[in-house]
Amino acid sequence: MAYKSIYRRVTAISRREIGIYSKRPLFLFCLIVAPVLCVVFFVTLMGQGLPTKLPAGIVDEDNTQISRIIYRTIDAMEETELKYSYSSFSEARSAMQRGEIYAFFYIPEGTTEEAIANRQPRISFYTNEAYLVPGALLMKDLRTASELSGLAITRENLYAHGLTESQAMGVIQPIVIEAHPLNNPELDYSVYLNNILLPGIFMLLITLSTTYTIGLEWKQGSQKQLYAMAGGSPSVALVGKLMPQTLLFSLMFVFCDIYFYKFLQFPCNSGLFSMIMLGILTVLASQGFGVFLFGIFSGNMRLAMCICSLWGILSFSLAGFTYPVMAMAPGFKLLSWLFSLRHYYLIYVNQALNGYSLAYVWTSVLALACFAVLPLLVLRRYQTAFLKYKYQA
C-alpha cells in the first residue's frame, strides 16, 4: 500500500508539473526546442566533416615553372583554396589583417635559380592563428606543400644527373610511411566534436532547468503546497517534480543516439543500447548535481543557477577532448573528476569508438552514479527548506 501511495503522489506531482510547463513556453523551449536546434545547428555546421576550401593567398615573385607547380600543388589540397594572388608581401599581409584570407604563401624572387644552384632558397607561409581551426588546417596544408616543393626540385636535379624515377624516389623517400587513423579514419570533425559538444550542452540545460524549476516553487511561494502533495517527503516531491524533465531529456539523448549512429553512421562499436543507457545515466547525474547545488545553497535559486552555468562552461575545458587531461597541472587533473562531462567523454571513447568492456571505465560509470545520488546528502536541508525557507531574490 505504501508503494501505491508513493506512486500516486509522484504521478500527481508530475501532472501538476506538466500543467506548469503548458503555461510557460520557456520550459518547452529549454526541454525540447533548444536541444533539437542545437543538434540541427552543429550537425549542419560540420556536415562535411572537416572545413574545406578555406580562403588563402599566394605571393609569387619568382613567376617560374617551379613556382607555378607549387601554386597548383597548394590549390589541389582539399582544405585550401588559393582565392587571391598578390603582387607583394605587404599587400598579402594587409589582406590577412582585414580577414579576407586565413593564410598566404610567399615565394621570393630567385627561388628557382637558387634551388638549381643548390643555395637553399627559402619559401615561407603565414597563417592567422587567431582563428584556431582554419589556421591549424592551413598550416598543415602549407607545410606539406613546402616539403613537397623542395622534394620536387630535388627530384628534377636527380633526373638531370641521370637517375631513373625509382632511383630518384628511393633517394627522396627511402621509407614510405602509411597512416591508419583508428576509430575515426575519415578524421571527421563532426564525429569527434558533436558526440561531446551536444551532450555537454544538454548537461548544462539539464542542470539549469533542474535548479530553475525547483526554485520556481519558492519564488511563487508554492513550496508548501508541493510538500503537502508529497506527504511530507522531500524525496517524493523532488522525484515527482523532475520526472517529466527526466523523460524528456532522456528522449533527447535517445533521439541524438539514433540520429548519430543509425542515420549519420557515426562509429559505434558498442551498440546503440549502451549509448542510450549512458545518456539516461547522464541525465540522472546532471539532475542530481542540480538538486544538490540548490540544496547546498538553501533555496537561493540565482546562486545555484550561476554555479551551474560556471560548472557547465568549465566542463568543456576540463573534459579532456580539446586539451588532454594528462598534460594538465596536477590540480586540474584532480578537478576534472568533478565534472560529469569528463566521465561521459571517457565512457564514450571506451564504448562507441573502441568497443571495449565497461571494466576499463568502471570508475567513470561509478562517478556518474555518484552524481545521480548526490541529492541524498541534502534531503534534510530540503525538508527544512520546504517548511522554513523563503525565496531569496
Side-chain angles (χ1 to χ4, degrees):
M1 294 295 293
Y3 291 112
K4 291 183 179 180
S5 175
I6 292 174
Y7 174 77
R8 285 196 297 269
R9 292 181 186 278
V10 168
T11 303
I13 295 172
S14 296
R15 288 175 179 171
R16 171 180 176 270
E17 190 69 12
I18 293 172
I20 294 175
Y21 294 169
S22 64
K23 298 175 183 177
R24 288 178 172 264
L26 178 62
F27 281 112
L28 297 178
F29 179 83
C30 292
L31 297 177
I32 301 175
V33 179
V36 173
L37 286 179
C38 287
V39 173
V40 173
F41 173 76
F42 281 104
V43 170
T44 305
L45 180 67
M46 293 179 263
Q48 295 181 347
L50 281 173
T52 58
K53 299 301 179 183
L54 298 168
I58 188 169
V59 180
D60 184 7
E61 295 180 348
D62 197 39
N63 196 24
T64 62
Q65 178 64 24
I66 296 297
S67 66
R68 286 189 284 273
I69 291 175
I70 296 173
Y71 181 99
R72 289 194 293 270
T73 301
I74 298 172
D75 200 38
M77 293 186 172
E78 186 178 6
E79 283 86 25
T80 306
E81 180 183 8
L82 288 180
K83 200 169 183 179
Y84 303 101
S85 181
Y86 302 100
S87 58
S88 65
F89 177 89
S90 59
E91 187 180 347
R93 182 180 62 184
S94 298
M96 190 162 70
Q97 290 172 342
R98 291 194 301 268
E100 295 176 0
I101 56 175
Y102 294 116
F104 68 91
F105 201 90
Y106 178 59
I107 306 174
E109 185 178 358
T111 297
T112 302
E113 182 181 349
E114 291 184 4
I116 294 174
N118 294 322
R119 289 199 294 265
Q120 290 187 318
R122 291 191 177 185
I123 55 178
S124 54
F125 58 87
Y126 301 82
T127 59
N128 190 348
E129 294 301 321
Y131 303 94
L132 180 61
V133 173
L137 292 175
L138 286 172
M139 174 174 281
K140 175 179 68 71
D141 277 3
L142 296 182
R143 181 184 293 276
T144 302
S146 301
E147 295 171 352
L148 292 176
S149 302
L151 294 176
I153 294 174
T154 302
R155 184 186 62 182
E156 295 300 323
N157 286 334
L158 292 174
Y159 287 166
H161 284 80
L163 272 68
T164 64
E165 182 177 357
S166 61
Q167 290 172 331
M169 293 306 297
V171 174
I172 294 172
Q173 193 178 20
I175 300 176
V176 178
I177 299 174
E178 293 185 0
H180 299 280
L182 299 177
N183 305 321
N184 186 12
E186 293 84 9
L187 300 179
D188 190 340
Y189 268 38
S190 185
V191 170
Y192 184 69
L193 293 179
N194 281 333
N195 280 287
I196 304 299
L197 283 177
L198 287 170
I201 294 172
F202 285 3
M203 291 178 194
L204 180 58
L205 288 173
I206 293 168
T207 53
L208 288 174
S209 298
T210 299
T211 52
Y212 180 76
T213 51
I214 296 174
L216 194 62
E217 296 291 342
W218 275 263
K219 186 175 182 179
Q220 295 179 336
S222 58
Q223 74 276 13
K224 291 185 178 180
Q225 177 189 352
L226 174 63
Y227 190 65
M229 291 181 66
S233 171
S235 58
V236 172
L238 293 172
V239 170
K241 187 163 186 64
L242 296 178
M243 184 64 71
Q245 289 190 31
T246 305
L247 295 176
L248 285 173
F249 278 117
S250 296
L251 287 176
M252 287 298 107
F253 268 96
V254 172
F255 162 72
C256 275
D257 290 336
I258 294 175
Y259 185 53
F260 285 170
Y261 304 124
K262 292 299 182 183
F263 288 91
L264 298 182
Q265 296 297 309
F266 285 179
C268 185
N269 295 311
S270 62
L272 185 62
F273 179 76
S274 64
M275 295 307 298
I276 291 176
M277 291 296 102
L278 172 60
I280 295 173
L281 179 59
T282 301
V283 172
L284 296 175
S286 302
Q287 287 184 316
F289 185 75
V291 172
F292 175 75
L293 281 182
F294 190 86
I296 285 292
F297 295 113
S298 304
N300 192 326
M301 180 176 69
R302 181 174 298 176
L303 182 57
M305 292 185 69
C306 287
I307 297 299
C308 285
S309 300
L310 178 63
W311 173 83
I313 296 301
L314 288 177
S315 295
F316 294 102
S317 299
L318 294 174
F321 72 99
T322 55
Y323 187 84
V325 170
M326 64 184 70
M328 295 180 184
F332 287 106
K333 290 181 183 178
L334 294 175
L335 188 62
S336 67
W337 280 82
L338 301 179
F339 295 88
S340 54
L341 183 59
R342 168 63 177 167
H343 303 290
Y344 181 95
Y345 170 64
L346 292 176
I347 298 172
Y348 159 72
V349 172
N350 179 83
Q351 291 289 286
L353 293 184
N354 295 326
Y356 296 157
S357 168
L358 276 177
Y360 292 97
V361 285
W362 68 269
T363 52
S364 292
V365 176
L366 181 61
L368 289 180
C370 289
F371 275 105
V373 299
L374 277 178
L376 296 177
L377 301 178
V378 292
L379 282 180
R380 288 190 177 182
R381 294 182 65 88
Y382 269 99
Q383 191 163 16
T384 304
F386 275 117
L387 296 174
K388 298 182 180 179
Y389 292 160
K390 294 183 178 181
Y391 175 71
Q392 302 178 29

